[in-house]
Amino acid sequence: MQVLARGIASAHYYTSMDYLEKAGRVLDLEIFELQRLRQRLDENFSRAVDLIKGAVEARGKVIVLGVGKSGYIGEKIAATLTSTGSPAVVLDSVNALHGDLGMIADGDIVLALSFSGETDELIRILPAIARFQVKIIAFCGDVTSTLARHCDVLLDVNVEQEACPLNLAPTSSTTVMLALGDALAMVLLEARGFAKEDFARFHPGGMIGRSLLLHVHQIMRPRDAVALVKPDSSIRSVLATMNSVRAGAAVVTGEEGELLGIFTHGDFVRHFQSDPRVGERLVADLMTLNPVTIHQDKLAVEVLNLLERHRIDDLIVIDDHQIPVGIVDSQDLTKLKLL
């Protein structure tokens, strides 16, 4: 039985290795095709960006067309464009000739995806689209195809080999289309000056949106919930003040309320290990000078960046005069669904 079990385990090991090698081959093929795409980028890509930018600034939109796997990729590209400030809608190729062409308006941009460039459902729509004053940008893998001949800007997405071992299932080709769509959307984002605040307006429900919409003064603990102490306070009294407001840090201020330093519960633990009588010492001797701070009017997303960058749990909030007005405790961010 032991020999049999060892044999089964050994067979499983080699099978797993075989799976990993095959998975690596798939990734290598797709990476290779992405590199080929990178080398093919030319002025046509720039023209596509300018066309969409001009249409959006003129209150137009992007109409995305695709069938099958290309249609799924088109839906993702449309969603990315829309969420980054370039309105895009998906036109169903089957229903287009039965009324859905009504979503197209003069001045729009049509983004048509077809690896072969000969997809029947898509090709049948081209004559109807020609009646509108629109420009067609094509993601196509055959530069001699019908779609390639009837578009205004051709972006070549040809691949030498699909990652499918049968070279049949759309894999490398859809990856290339998706990556090109991401590149188009991200370059458009920069070209149109799309900012974090704009992104937040379109994503108010998620963690990203909350962190970009909220300001520091909306998430901080206010001044009356901060353990404020003077530099001549003993560590024992500082701990008592911290406990009274259930805080993990004390903010040390001067006679004018100016910020002098910070002392945390972690500081106490570290000093207590070497000096059990640390409670009798003055906080001025043990506080951290020049602590990390953030202005009360900054966006909450900057709190996340500072906490991570400096690996701290408490962030002092200041006003225009560098006076502490609150504190952000990292534990509060989970309750606010910012972490």
Side-chain angles (χ1 to χ4, degrees):
M1 290 294 291
Q2 230 175 1
V3 173
L4 178 60
R6 192 180 304 118
I8 293 174
S10 178
H12 175 72
Y13 173 77
Y14 285 112
T15 300
S16 297
M17 289 300 293
D18 191 41
Y19 290 161
L20 293 176
E21 289 176 4
K22 290 178 178 179
R25 182 187 64 196
V26 170
L27 296 177
D28 287 341
L29 283 170
E30 297 202 355
I31 290 170
F32 171 73
E33 294 297 351
L34 286 173
Q35 291 172 334
R36 289 185 64 243
L37 172 66
R38 171 68 180 86
Q39 294 167 359
R40 286 199 307 272
L41 287 179
D42 56 18
E43 285 305 310
N44 280 342
F45 182 87
S46 300
R47 288 179 59 206
V49 172
D50 288 336
L51 283 177
I52 298 177
K53 180 174 180 287
V56 171
E57 290 176 348
R59 312 293 291 180
K61 60 187 176 298
V62 181
I63 308 292
V64 181
L65 279 171
V67 179
K69 301 300 187 294
S70 295
Y72 295 139
I73 297 300
E75 290 179 11
K76 163 58 170 66
I77 293 173
T80 302
L81 286 169
T82 298
S83 70
T84 52
S86 299
V89 294
V90 177
L91 175 59
D92 186 286
S93 300
V94 175
N95 294 323
L97 297 178
H98 299 278
D100 282 9
L101 279 175
M103 70 173 59
I104 302 179
D106 290 343
D108 286 344
I109 297 294
V110 173
L111 181 60
L113 286 70
S114 173
F115 184 69
S116 69
E118 299 292 350
T119 309
D120 289 341
E121 297 90 336
L122 192 149
I123 298 303
R124 284 200 300 267
I125 303 172
L126 293 181
I129 291 176
R131 299 172 186 173
F132 296 89
Q133 295 179 18
V134 298
K135 298 291 185 183
I136 300 176
I137 300 170
F139 282 16
C140 184
D142 185 348
V143 297
T144 65
S145 65
T146 302
L147 176 59
R149 294 197 309 270
H150 289 83
C151 70
D152 297 283
V153 178
L154 173 63
L155 298 179
D156 184 4
V157 293
N158 83 79
V159 297
E160 292 184 355
Q161 184 178 348
E162 296 286 6
C164 168
L166 304 176
N167 199 29
L168 295 174
T171 43
S172 299
S173 56
T174 49
T175 296
V176 166
M177 280 188 177
L178 181 60
L180 186 59
D182 284 344
L184 195 59
M186 295 305 100
V187 173
L188 272 165
L189 178 153
E190 291 192 66
R192 298 188 59 245
F194 194 80
K196 289 181 179 179
E197 293 78 8
D198 300 311
F199 191 90
R201 283 193 298 138
F202 298 141
H203 300 76
M207 184 183 76
I208 295 175
R210 283 191 293 274
S211 66
L212 290 173
L213 284 172
L214 292 174
H215 289 79
V216 173
H217 65 82
Q218 295 173 290
I219 66 169
M220 71 180 188
R221 295 186 183 184
R223 186 179 174 88
D224 58 9
V226 177
L228 295 171
V229 299
K230 296 302 179 183
D232 58 355
S233 302
S234 68
I235 297 299
R236 187 183 302 278
S237 65
V238 168
L239 293 175
T241 303
M242 290 165 59
N243 288 334
S244 68
V245 292
R246 297 183 178 180
V251 178
V252 186
T253 59
E255 292 301 321
E256 303 298 324
E258 73 277 15
L259 176 63
L260 298 179
I262 188 172
F263 183 82
T264 69
H265 185 267
D267 293 330
F268 169 73
V269 172
R270 284 188 291 275
H271 287 292
F272 181 79
Q273 291 175 344
S274 59
D275 181 8
R277 301 185 61 186
V278 66
E280 309 307 320
R281 298 184 62 180
L282 299 182
V283 71
D285 298 331
L286 303 177
M287 68 183 182
T288 299
L289 300 173
N290 302 313
V292 181
T293 62
I294 189 169
H295 193 278
Q296 61 183 348
D297 293 332
K298 292 289 187 179
L299 291 172
V301 67
E302 298 191 40
V303 169
L304 302 177
N305 294 336
L306 286 172
L307 291 177
E308 183 177 359
R309 187 189 318 154
H310 295 280
R311 297 184 179 181
I312 56 178
D313 295 319
D314 302 277
L315 185 59
I316 300 172
V317 182
I318 57 174
D319 62 14
D320 293 336
H321 305 290
Q322 308 298 307
I323 302 297
V325 294
I327 195 166
V328 177
D329 188 320
S330 60
Q331 295 182 7
D332 296 337
L333 300 182
T334 302
K335 301 174 187 176
L336 294 167
K337 296 183 179 180
L338 292 174
L339 280 180

